[in-house]
Amino acid sequence: MHLKSFVKRNLAEGALIFGGIIVLAVQVIVQKYFLSTGGVDHTSIIGVPLDDVYIHCRYAENLLSGHGYSFNPGHIVSADTSPLWVVMIAFGGLFTSHLDLVAVLLSSFFYLLLAPAVFRICRETFNLPYSWSVIGGLITLLSSRLVWASTSGMEVSLACFLTLLILHEHIGPREYGSTMRKREGIFLALGIAARPEMMFLAAIVFADWMIAALKEKKGWSSIAKSIIAFLLFVFPVYWIPLSERGSFIYHSSLVQGARRSFIPDTGYLWFAFKVLLVSFSLPVLFAFLSPISVRKQKGILILQIFGFGLPILLAFIAPQFRHHGRYFFEVFPVLIVLGIIVSAKLFSDPSKKKIITFTQSFFIAVALIGTVRGIILSAESVA
């Protein structure tokens, strides 16, 4: 990488992180306002929108106390489907007893990483123009659902970041003749430890590598090593429900309605579409044009399968209408990347610079509406 490109990349990523810090600061101010009555603030630091955070914290507290992966001390129960998040909160508990604050700081930290990650995928993985890559990062930063998740104390932003990390790790080597690396298997296992929906991405990635190995008649040993690494790291995730109830399915998943059905929940599909539609992230809508406009571009198919496929899969096995659709939030940065690729293709004529600038500015303006909505959603949930 040339020095000029290196400096530009780091300036862009630094600016995106700084922008994220501003969004977080505004969230804290708005939450403080919503939580104040007669000018008196009823929270010591900040609130959280979901009581699930305290389930994570309870598990982390018991883990720290040597009581195992449990809600009630000593009684292992698979009621928390994000063991990686629990472990991370527990690690933070070595430094403070305010585990809810640790959870909020963690979700904020991974939120700050999302925009630079999208920028880098757009710029380096798909070789998009610098300006469109920056726009991709900004839209991610301002996306209403991701803003809501940023101070939620939930594992959503971690799962989104791991999704982007896995795709960055996969697409480049896969499309340019390399073989699977062991760390890709480890990242996939960590993804599943963060959110069970990431099993879908793991299935896509391993299937993609196996298809490539069949076509090119090479790479099987690398796949085997990656699978071993994957199994070693994912084993603790499934050991929890297996030791508790002799099943690989977490108890909380069953309680929340996980099931197998040959007929999708059409109400959930409509719900998911509405969540995507009102995200105020125009690239998400442009992503729906990708099967027509960029169908031949390398690396696109895996984005489409995961981005469009996850909500459809959940309609069959785990339709969850709670928490503004957070169970498929991992698709948001993926669809943003996909939509930016489409936009860069549609608005690529350098002679129409004014049109490109107007389009990018319009994208940002609409996204800012989403940012306000996300901040209000978060504050109302807390209040």
Side-chain angles (χ1 to χ4, degrees), residues 352-363:
K352 298 179 179 179
K353 190 173 181 180
K354 289 185 178 180
I355 295 177
I356 295 173
T357 302
F358 173 80
T359 303
Q360 293 174 341
S361 301
F362 185 65
F363 277 17

Side-chain angles (χ1 to χ4, degrees), residues 77-372:
V77 58
S78 55
D80 192 308
T81 55
S82 184
L84 178 59
W85 195 244
V86 169
V87 169
M88 294 176 77
I89 293 173
F91 180 77
L94 296 174
F95 307 96
T96 176
S97 60
H98 296 284
L99 296 183
D100 52 345
L101 175 59
V102 172
V104 170
L105 289 175
L106 284 171
S107 64
S108 299
F109 172 74
F110 286 105
Y111 162 75
L112 292 176
L113 297 182
L114 293 180
V118 166
F119 166 80
R120 189 168 294 198
I121 287 178
C122 290
R123 184 64 176 154
E124 297 183 0
T125 306
F126 291 101
N127 299 312
L128 297 185
Y130 181 83
S131 63
W132 278 112
S133 300
V134 171
I135 294 299
L138 278 172
I139 299 299
T140 304
L141 188 74
L142 302 173
S143 177
S144 63
R145 288 317 199 257
L146 298 180
V147 168
W148 173 86
S150 63
T151 58
S152 67
M154 298 299 288
E155 70 281 359
V156 174
S157 55
L158 169 63
C160 289
F161 174 72
L162 287 171
T163 299
L164 294 171
L165 180 64
I166 290 163
L167 291 172
H168 184 268
E169 183 69 22
H170 176 74
I171 293 171
R174 170 66 182 86
E175 296 298 336
Y176 298 101
S178 186
T179 57
M180 191 175 192
R181 292 173 283 194
K182 291 189 289 293
R183 66 189 185 197
E184 191 173 348
I186 295 171
F187 293 154
L188 287 167
L190 293 177
I192 293 172
R195 286 300 311 160
E197 299 87 21
M198 296 290 281
M199 287 186 284
F200 181 50
L201 183 57
I204 295 170
V205 167
F206 279 119
D208 193 32
W209 278 118
M210 289 178 183
I211 292 169
L214 285 170
K215 288 181 178 179
E216 300 167 12
K217 298 180 180 180
K218 67 174 186 177
W220 286 107
S221 62
S222 298
I223 294 173
K225 292 175 184 177
S226 298
I227 290 175
I228 292 171
F230 169 77
L231 292 174
L232 287 173
F233 277 81
V234 85
F235 172 76
V237 177
Y238 292 110
W239 176 84
I240 296 168
L242 192 62
S243 63
E244 176 214 356
R245 48 196 303 275
S247 171
F248 289 114
I249 302 175
Y250 275 66
H251 174 71
S252 59
S253 296
L254 294 174
V255 170
Q256 293 175 12
R259 81 290 195 272
R260 288 176 294 178
S261 174
F262 293 105
I263 301 175
D265 187 321
T266 54
Y268 180 79
L269 289 175
W270 176 238
F271 165 76
F273 178 73
K274 287 191 293 183
V275 169
L276 295 175
L277 187 65
V278 299
S279 66
F280 294 95
S281 300
L282 291 180
V284 170
L285 303 183
F286 273 70
F288 285 89
L289 300 175
S290 62
I292 301 170
S293 58
V294 291
R295 62 183 181 275
K296 294 182 180 180
Q297 185 162 337
K298 291 183 176 181
I300 289 295
L301 184 59
I302 193 169
L303 299 183
Q304 293 170 328
I305 293 173
F306 182 73
F308 299 132
L310 181 59
I312 294 172
L313 176 65
L314 293 178
F316 283 93
I317 63 172
Q320 278 287 341
F321 295 84
R322 301 160 61 234
H323 305 162
H324 311 294
R326 75 174 177 91
Y327 297 95
F328 64 88
F329 274 14
E330 297 94 327
V331 308
F332 272 102
V334 175
L335 292 178
I336 288 171
V337 170
L338 194 54
I340 290 295
I341 294 170
V342 172
S343 303
K345 174 76 178 296
L346 295 177
F347 303 98
S348 59
D349 189 347
S351 65
K352 298 179 179 179
K353 190 173 181 180
K354 289 185 178 180
I355 295 177
I356 295 173
T357 302
F358 173 80
T359 303
Q360 293 174 341
S361 301
F362 185 65
F363 277 17
I364 295 171
V366 173
L368 282 168
I369 299 173
T371 306
V372 174

Side-chain angles (χ1 to χ4, degrees), residues 38-108:
V40 179
D41 186 1
H42 295 287
T43 58
S44 57
I45 303 171
I46 191 173
V48 291
L50 303 176
D51 57 2
D52 296 52
V53 175
Y54 297 103
I55 298 175
H56 290 315
C57 292
R58 177 69 170 173
Y59 270 78
E61 182 182 17
N62 283 328
L63 201 62
L64 275 172
S65 302
H67 297 305
Y69 197 78
S70 60
F71 187 84
N72 295 316
H75 180 62
I76 293 178
V77 58
S78 55
D80 192 308
T81 55
S82 184
L84 178 59
W85 195 244
V86 169
V87 169
M88 294 176 77
I89 293 173
F91 180 77
L94 296 174
F95 307 96
T96 176
S97 60
H98 296 284
L99 296 183
D100 52 345
L101 175 59
V102 172
V104 170
L105 289 175
L106 284 171
S107 64
S108 299

